[in-house]
Amino acid sequence: MIGSKLISFFILLNVVFFTCASSHNIPCPPTPTKAPSKCPKDTLKFGICGDWLGLVHEVIGAKPSSKCCALLEGIADVEAALCLCTAIKANVLGVLKLKVPIAISVVLNSCGKKVPKGFKCA
C-alpha cells in the first residue's frame, strides 16, 4: 500500500514537473532585418531623373518623367531612396548644386513613394 502511494506520488510529481517545464516555451528571437546596402537597379539609369530635378526650381508642380517613376516601380521605398542617393552622390543626375534630402524627397513623393523615416543619404 505504501509502495503504490509512493509510485503515485512520483508519477504525479513527474506530471507536474514536465507540465511546468514544457509550458515555458521561449520562442527564438526574430532575425534582424537589414536595410539594403546597395541599389537593386543600375544607378546610371537614374540619370533620366536629373533633367526633371533641374527643372523643379523653374516649373513648380512639374511631374518627373514617366521613365524616372518607372525605374522606382516595384522596389521598396527604402531601396528607391537608396538608389537616388547613390545616383546623386555619383553625380549621375548631372546636377551639381543639389540639396540631397530635398531632392530625394521631391522625386519619391512625385512618384508616389515616401522617404523612409530616419533615412539619411550618407
Side-chain angles (χ1 to χ4, degrees):
M1 179 121 162
I2 293 178
S4 66
K5 286 185 179 181
L6 189 59
I7 292 174
S8 297
F9 174 74
F10 282 120
I11 290 174
L12 180 63
L13 186 62
N14 280 333
V15 169
V16 170
F17 174 75
F18 286 115
T19 301
C20 290
S22 65
S23 67
H24 294 294
N25 184 12
I26 300 171
C28 295
T31 56
T33 56
K34 292 179 10 179
S37 58
K38 67 179 212 166
C39 179
K41 297 196 176 196
D42 183 7
T43 307
L44 294 174
K45 292 180 180 179
F46 286 91
I48 61 175
C49 298
D51 293 336
W52 178 77
L53 282 172
L55 297 173
V56 166
H57 302 293
E58 299 169 16
V59 183
I60 302 299
K63 297 275 186 191
S65 72
S66 59
K67 291 179 182 178
C68 179
C69 290
L71 278 174
L72 299 174
E73 283 182 19
I75 60 176
D77 291 353
V78 69
E79 291 173 330
L82 184 63
C83 289
L84 289 171
C85 175
T86 304
I88 290 170
K89 286 171 46 180
N91 200 22
V92 171
L93 304 181
V95 183
L96 293 175
K97 295 181 181 179
L98 193 63
K99 293 185 178 179
V100 175
I102 295 172
I104 291 173
S105 179
V106 167
V107 173
L108 290 179
N109 289 338
S110 297
C111 293
K113 296 205 172 274
K114 295 185 181 200
V115 178
K117 186 176 182 178
F119 178 81
K120 295 198 189 283
C121 182

